[in-house]
């Protein structure tokens, strides 16, 4: 850890009487500078761990894709929405433009800041997949069926596809 490396140096500088060099180099008290730097390093390490977990999950899903799972909508944009997929323990964004061949979509705003995306299968997809549903209102906390796999392009991440209503 960064703090484990810095503490002995600060202790030595304190004992040597050269702690003022830190102030001159950084324009701050050494203690403040060191505390800020330790916090930055801790945050960076946490982000690296989270990204590593996401890459591992993505590679796992590349070899073991989830064909169908329940997802809960936790965010709605203009042409996409974010779902939490408890089965894989991750959130992912569903980009409806990537599924234009399968679904038509239209954003509806309620005037109070709430958004709903009206989704319906294309006629071709409805016939080919034998779908028995015609409309899906995607809004906050709505349950939907999704598929989860790994993105083909870089950076490595998960890819979430809309399957239909839950």
């Amino acid at each position: 850890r960064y703090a484990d490396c810095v503490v002995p140096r600060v202790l030595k500088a304190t004992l040597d009487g050269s702690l003022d060099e830190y102030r001159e180099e950084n324009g701050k008290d050494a203690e403040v500078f060191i505390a800020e730097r330790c916090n930055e390093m801790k945050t960076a390490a946490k982000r690296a761990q989270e990204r590593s977990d996401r890459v591992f999950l993505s590679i796992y899903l590349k070899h073991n894709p989830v064909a169908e799972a329940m997802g809960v909508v936790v965010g709605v944009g203009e042409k996409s929405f974010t779902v939490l997929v408890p089965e894989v323990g991750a959130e992912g964004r569903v980009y409806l433009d990537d599924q234009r061949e399968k679904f038509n979509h239209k954003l509806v705003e309620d005037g109070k800041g709430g958004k709903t995306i009206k989704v319906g299968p294309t006629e071709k997809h409805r016939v080919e997949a034998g779908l028995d549903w015609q409309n899906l209102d995607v809004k906050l906390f709505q349950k939907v069926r999704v598929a989860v796999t790994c993105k083909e392009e870089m950076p490595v991440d998960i890819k979430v596809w809309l399957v239909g209503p839950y």
Side-chain angles (χ1 to χ4, degrees):
R1 287 186 359 198
Y2 182 78
D4 295 334
C5 297
V6 171
V7 169
R9 292 181 190 166
V10 173
L11 182 58
K12 183 179 184 304
T14 302
L15 295 173
D16 291 348
S18 60
L19 196 56
D20 291 334
E21 291 176 20
Y22 281 100
R23 285 187 186 92
E24 291 170 12
E25 290 176 20
N26 304 300
K28 301 178 182 177
D29 286 342
E31 299 83 7
V32 172
F33 171 75
I34 292 166
E36 288 175 352
R37 185 71 175 149
C38 286
N39 288 338
E40 289 170 10
M41 293 295 108
K42 183 178 179 181
T43 301
K46 183 167 178 58
R47 281 194 206 122
Q49 177 64 47
E50 290 169 352
R51 183 67 187 134
S52 174
D53 292 345
R54 187 73 170 205
V55 168
F56 179 81
L57 174 63
S58 300
I59 292 169
Y60 174 81
L61 288 169
K62 184 174 187 170
H63 299 288
N64 303 286
V66 176
E68 194 170 300
M70 186 264 298
V72 179
V73 178
V74 294
V76 178
E78 292 184 23
K79 297 179 181 180
S80 63
F81 57 95
T82 304
V83 293
L84 171 64
V85 186
E87 187 173 322
V88 297
E91 283 185 7
R93 197 129 183 100
V94 176
Y95 294 95
L96 292 169
D97 280 351
D98 291 350
Q99 294 184 273
R100 277 179 284 207
E101 314 256 323
K102 294 182 178 183
F103 301 108
N104 299 312
H105 59 88
K106 178 182 177 185
L107 176 68
V108 178
E109 298 189 51
D110 65 8
K112 300 175 190 173
K115 296 178 183 176
T116 300
I117 301 177
K118 303 271 188 188
V119 179
T122 62
E123 189 60 36
K124 179 181 176 186
H125 181 57
R126 187 186 350 263
V127 171
E128 288 176 355
L131 301 177
D132 60 354
W133 62 278
Q134 295 191 14
N135 294 308
L136 170 62
D137 289 347
V138 176
K139 55 190 171 192
L140 278 178
F141 307 118
Q142 178 75 37
K143 292 181 181 178
V144 294
R145 285 184 302 143
V146 294
V148 189
T149 189
C150 180
K151 282 177 29 181
E152 295 296 322
E153 65 278 353
M154 293 303 243
V156 175
D157 204 353
I158 67 171
K159 177 76 176 173
V160 183
W161 300 93
L162 178 64
V163 174
Y166 186 73

